[in-house]
Amino acid sequence: MSKVGICLLNWNGMKYTAACILSLIEQDHKNINIYALDQGSTDGSLQWLKKLHESKAIDLTDAGKNVGFSTGNNTLIEKALKDGCEYILIFNNDTRAFPD
């Protein structure tokens, strides 16, 4: 089964990011790594992401500030490649995925 890395950026997007990540966790394809990068959120989403990271549900990078779309995604793509992901998807945090 192919290993898939899904990358998403967050900045004060608790409402959207939570729905997005929960939809990704519920995927039928179980060989998925979820990579999130927070860009200095102050709305509680970073704390929520940290809890998911501690439970091993996601890989979290805390950039501490806005590093931009390209730098943020490139950081996550590098992690996914290092982890052996064969496919990498860049998701907007307001996206939801169907389980299949």
Side-chain angles (χ1 to χ4, degrees), residues 61-87:
T61 301
D62 179 3
K65 64 179 182 176
N66 187 340
V67 296
F69 184 82
S70 297
T71 298
N73 279 307
N74 283 338
T75 299
L76 298 178
I77 290 167
E78 286 176 11
K79 280 187 160 193
L81 289 172
K82 193 174 196 178
D83 288 345
C85 292
E86 298 170 67
Y87 298 96

Side-chain angles (χ1 to χ4, degrees), residues 8 13-27 48 52 91-97:
L8 65 121
M14 181 64 175
K15 174 183 172 183
Y16 299 110
T17 301
C20 178
I21 290 177
L22 292 175
S23 76
L24 295 172
I25 290 171
E26 296 174 354
Q27 290 300 295
W48 184 77
L52 286 179
F91 259 54
N92 286 338
N93 69 329
D94 63 350
T95 305
R96 291 187 192 174

Side-chain angles (χ1 to χ4, degrees), residues 2-85:
S2 299
K3 188 172 186 179
V4 177
I6 301 176
C7 306
L8 65 121
L9 305 179
N10 180 65
W11 179 74
N12 289 331
M14 181 64 175
K15 174 183 172 183
Y16 299 110
T17 301
C20 178
I21 290 177
L22 292 175
S23 76
L24 295 172
I25 290 171
E26 296 174 354
Q27 290 300 295
D28 293 340
H29 186 92
K30 296 302 178 196
N31 202 10
I32 292 175
N33 287 17
I34 302 168
Y35 301 89
L37 183 137
D38 187 81
Q39 302 198 68
S41 293
T42 58
D43 69 342
S45 55
L46 176 59
Q47 289 72 21
W48 184 77
L49 291 168
K50 284 180 177 180
K51 287 179 184 177
L52 286 179
H53 177 72
E54 290 168 5
S55 73
K56 308 287 187 220
I58 67 168
D59 182 294
L60 175 63
T61 301
D62 179 3
K65 64 179 182 176
N66 187 340
V67 296
F69 184 82
S70 297
T71 298
N73 279 307
N74 283 338
T75 299
L76 298 178
I77 290 167
E78 286 176 11
K79 280 187 160 193
L81 289 172
K82 193 174 196 178
D83 288 345
C85 292

